[in-house]
């Protein structure tokens, strides 16, 4: 058994929260993180004897019985690593909602984006057996870009791919883009999950971004890459002398790195198959 605050997953999550806060992407309580525990990882925790039970409608079938480490609603990302027992907890997903089985001291509860996390995990597990993590934050430049770029997601993906050579290799499925929506409800969870059936990144216009991955590092790396491209876009879109990476060059990259770009974004008819 490992003390809650000493567990590898909990520590890594606290470190990531602090890193993201330092990058300016998690002001105050902006952002939330969740991680699907394996049976082995779960067995290392001491669980509460009297779990608190919460009702939620519409729990997806494939999430029932899953154990999730998740950040608390209202937790200050700068301080998560110093208050892990209060700001992080483990929930067990049930048919009717969830039970808090560790952490969330002082009556804390999971993020208000719980629907988004549950529905997003469900969607990704359906298409990727290695899926484990959802990370949401308010990355600055990607949020800024939703004010100056059209919000059609194929055009948005094409722009990002054209900015940094690595982008199409790191996220060949492109990004999903949602219009502005009220956050925290089932509706935004459903719309987000629908996008995650075909890509790993969803941009919430005028709000932020969320990514999925096989590890905390994997999901965070996607945010770093997308935001770096968005930062360059914001610094250059109104003063460009060149038009960036061409379709032909993107095809060359895909062939060299053996990735398949999402259909309908670039002209791929010349690609070797
Ligand atoms: P929580 O504090 O409830 O996690 O909400 C933060 C947030 O970013 C909502 O989108
Ligand atoms: Zn948010």
């Amino acid at each position: 058994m490992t003390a809650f605050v000493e567990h590898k997953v909990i520590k890594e999550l606290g470190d990531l929260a602090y890193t993201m806060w330092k990058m300016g992407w998690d002001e105050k309580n902006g952002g939330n993180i969740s991680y699907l525990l394996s049976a082995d990882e779960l067995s290392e925790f001491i669980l509460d004897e009297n779990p608190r039970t919460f009702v939620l409608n519409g729990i997806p079938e494939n999430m029932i019985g899953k154990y999730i480490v998740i950040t608390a609603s209202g937790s200050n990302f700068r301080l998560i690593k110093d208050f892990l027992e209060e700001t992080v907890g483990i929930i067990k997903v049930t048919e009717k909602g969830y039970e808090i089985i560790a952490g969330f001291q002082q009556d804390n509860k999971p993020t208000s984006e719980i629907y988004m996390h549950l529905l997003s995990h469900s969607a990704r597990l359906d298409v990727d057996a290695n899926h484990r993590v959802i990370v949401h934050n308010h990355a600055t430049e990607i949020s800024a870009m939703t004010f100056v770029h059209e919000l059609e997601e194929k055009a948005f993906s094409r722009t990002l791919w054209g900015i940094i050579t690595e982008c199409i290799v790191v996220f060949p499925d492109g990004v999903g883009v949602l219009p502005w929506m009220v956050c925290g409800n089932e509706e935004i969870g459903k719309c987000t999950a629908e996008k995650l059936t075909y890509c790993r990144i969803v941009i919430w216009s005028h709000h932020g971004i969320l990514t999925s991955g096989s590890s905390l590092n994997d999901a965070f790396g996607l945010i770093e890459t997308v935001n770096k491209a968005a930062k360059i876009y914001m610094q250059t879109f109104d003063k460009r002398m060149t038009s960036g990476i061409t379709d032909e060059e993107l095809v060359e990259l895909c062939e060299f790195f053996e990735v398949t770009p999402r259909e309908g974004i670039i002209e791929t008819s010349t690609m070797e198959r």
Side-chain angles (χ1 to χ4, degrees):
M1 293 291 167
T2 316
F4 186 80
V5 298
E6 293 299 328
H7 195 279
K8 176 170 83 38
V9 171
I10 306 296
K11 280 174 103 163
E12 198 183 329
L13 191 151
D15 289 347
L16 175 61
Y18 189 73
T19 301
M20 298 202 305
W21 170 78
K22 265 181 116 173
M23 298 184 89
W25 297 348
D26 292 85
E27 71 290 341
K28 200 170 172 287
N29 63 309
N32 24 76
I33 305 172
S34 65
Y35 177 105
L36 283 170
L37 283 173
S38 68
D40 281 353
E41 286 165 341
L42 178 73
S43 70
E44 292 156 3
F45 285 96
I46 301 160
L47 305 180
D48 290 348
E49 279 165 18
N50 299 307
R52 287 186 279 150
T53 303
F54 295 84
V55 176
L56 271 188
N57 297 320
I59 300 288
E61 194 72 30
N62 66 348
M63 291 305 291
I64 297 169
K66 293 275 189 285
Y67 293 86
I68 306 175
V69 172
I70 190 163
T71 50
S73 186
S75 45
N76 188 315
F77 266 56
R78 181 169 61 91
L79 299 173
I80 284 180
K81 71 175 174 47
D82 301 323
F83 295 91
L84 289 167
E85 276 173 326
E86 292 83 12
T87 58
V88 182
I90 304 177
I91 60 168
K92 177 185 181 184
V93 184
T94 66
E95 234 169 281
K96 296 197 174 103
Y98 62 90
E99 293 170 4
I100 291 178
I101 58 166
F104 290 140
Q105 299 287 299
Q106 297 188 355
D107 235 20
N108 279 312
K109 283 191 1 179
T111 171
S112 58
E113 303 286 5
I114 181 106
Y115 268 119
M116 178 276 279
H117 284 268
L118 292 178
L119 301 181
S120 297
H121 282 300
S122 170
R124 287 309 299 170
L125 282 175
D126 272 348
V127 294
D128 177 8
N130 294 321
H131 165 79
R132 297 287 281 280
V133 171
I134 298 288
V135 177
H136 162 58
N137 70 25
H138 301 168
T140 312
E141 283 80 10
I142 200 70
S143 305
M145 195 171 154
T146 64
F147 288 89
V148 297
H149 194 283
E150 64 174 298
L151 298 177
E152 195 284 309
E153 66 185 32
K154 287 187 172 169
F156 210 97
S157 300
R158 175 64 185 86
T159 298
L160 293 170
W161 286 350
I163 294 172
I164 302 178
T165 300
E166 287 287 299
C167 280
I168 198 165
V169 182
V170 175
F171 52 99
D173 298 332
V175 297
V177 179
L178 286 178
W180 181 86
M181 294 177 77
V182 171
C183 60
N185 58 20
E186 193 176 1
E187 179 64 13
I188 199 168
K190 281 183 178 166
C191 294
T192 303
E194 196 264 316
K195 305 269 176 214
L196 291 172
T197 60
Y198 58 84
C199 64
R200 297 209 286 146
I201 301 163
V202 182
I203 293 159
W204 285 356
S205 295
H206 322 324
H207 182 148
I209 183 169
L210 66 101
T211 57
S212 59
S214 56
S215 65
L216 290 166
N217 198 41
D218 180 34
F220 176 59
L222 286 181
I223 300 183
E224 283 185 294
T225 309
V226 170
N227 197 71
K228 178 68 180 281
K231 186 170 186 173
I232 295 172
Y233 180 82
M234 291 307 295
Q235 289 172 352
T236 60
F237 77 95
D238 55 352
K239 44 176 107 66
R240 290 198 179 178
M241 305 281 287
T242 65
S243 54
I245 306 167
T246 64
D247 274 16
E248 293 71 31
E249 289 163 342
L250 289 172
V251 166
E252 269 184 68
L253 279 168
C254 290
E255 281 172 350
F256 186 73
F257 288 98
E258 297 182 354
V259 297
T260 308
R262 180 159 135 209
E263 268 183 40
I265 299 180
I266 55 170
E267 178 50 67
T268 54
S269 57
T270 57
M271 270 186 92
E272 288 163 20
R273 294 273 163 192

